[in-house]
Amino acid sequence: MTKPHPTAATPVKMPVIGRIGWLRGVLGAALGILLTGLVSWLALRGDPALPWLLAPMGASAVLIFVLPASPLSQPWPVLGGHLIAALAGMLAHAAGGAPWLTAALAVGGAIAAMSLARCLHPPAGGTALITALASPAIAAAGWQFLAAPLALNVVLMLACGIVWNRATGHSYPHHAQPAPAMPSWIGHIEDEDLDAVLEEWDEVLDVSREDLLALLHAVEAKVRARTR
């Protein structure tokens, strides 16, 4: 009888402790925000009108420290996503118009630009709104805003993410597991097979176990149809 494996951890069902436990992400995110905020505050306290820590950094911290294997959490999406989104927001702001129209253009343009640049990062949608609906201080800062506080926040957060994830046993930037060499084979992947592999990988993937099973079985059906 096959020994049952525990259900794989997903973003909505994670253990408390351990290498893939959410407590590791809690500590890492708190430390990342602490250091990013502290260094940014010390660097920008000469200009109290500018925000020294941007709200989207909180959302980025969730991805970087809790889901470091997600494609949305990798360094280029984080850095490129925030900078491109900020630029889209600034352009929308410069175009003028009603605030709701400006906001819509900024977020839509940011998503399009991030997609083209292969750096989609959901928290950057908030960055686009910050620059599109800019406060007087942010509007007055102009292009300087891209360097400080934005790029400063992002680079500090990424540095914390790299150190923390590697110190707690995660590859970050994430590197996919190499696929083993397999002979030609037509069989059936049992649900327990997937659970066993996910347990061996010991990583929280940004996709549900059910979706992974559906994908695997759909691929099996394609292989069987091709080899009949």
Side-chain angles (χ1 to χ4, degrees):
M1 182 176 179
T2 304
K3 180 181 177 181
H5 290 270
T7 301
T10 66
V12 296
K13 187 175 182 180
M14 299 171 62
V16 177
I17 60 175
R19 201 180 70 89
I20 59 174
W22 56 257
L23 184 58
R24 184 201 70 87
V26 169
L27 298 175
L31 183 61
I33 291 292
L34 173 66
L35 294 177
T36 298
L38 176 61
V39 174
S40 298
W41 180 77
L42 291 173
L44 295 174
R45 61 182 175 179
D47 188 356
L50 279 177
W52 44 271
L53 184 62
L54 301 175
M57 293 303 107
S60 292
V62 174
L63 288 172
I64 293 171
F65 294 96
V66 181
L67 300 173
S70 171
L72 306 175
S73 307
Q74 302 315 299
W76 170 236
V78 177
L79 178 61
H82 279 297
L83 292 177
I84 287 174
L87 180 59
M90 294 172 71
L91 293 175
H93 180 80
W100 50 88
L101 179 59
T102 299
L105 290 174
V107 174
I111 294 173
M114 286 189 290
S115 299
L116 290 172
R118 300 178 182 270
C119 59
L120 190 64
H121 185 61
T127 303
L129 288 178
I130 287 175
T131 52
L133 306 176
S135 66
I138 292 177
W143 300 107
Q144 177 187 339
F145 176 84
L146 295 177
L150 181 57
L152 178 62
N153 279 183
V154 174
V155 169
L156 289 169
M157 185 67 70
L158 283 174
C160 292
I162 290 171
V163 172
W164 178 261
N165 281 308
R166 291 185 178 181
T168 55
H170 290 265
S171 64
Y172 187 79
H174 179 68
H175 300 289
Q177 295 284 347
M182 296 290 291
S184 297
W185 171 81
I186 302 174
H188 174 65
I189 298 175
E190 301 290 342
D191 294 3
E192 291 80 8
D193 297 328
L194 174 64
D195 289 332
V197 171
L198 290 175
E199 186 179 2
E200 292 171 1
W201 281 16
D202 198 24
E203 188 65 82
V204 180
L205 302 180
D206 194 11
V207 61
S208 71
R209 173 181 178 273
E210 291 70 25
D211 285 341
L212 283 174
L213 282 171
L215 175 64
L216 286 174
H217 294 325
V219 172
E220 283 181 346
K222 291 289 186 183
V223 173
R224 289 179 182 274
R226 187 180 68 243
T227 54
R228 284 176 182 172

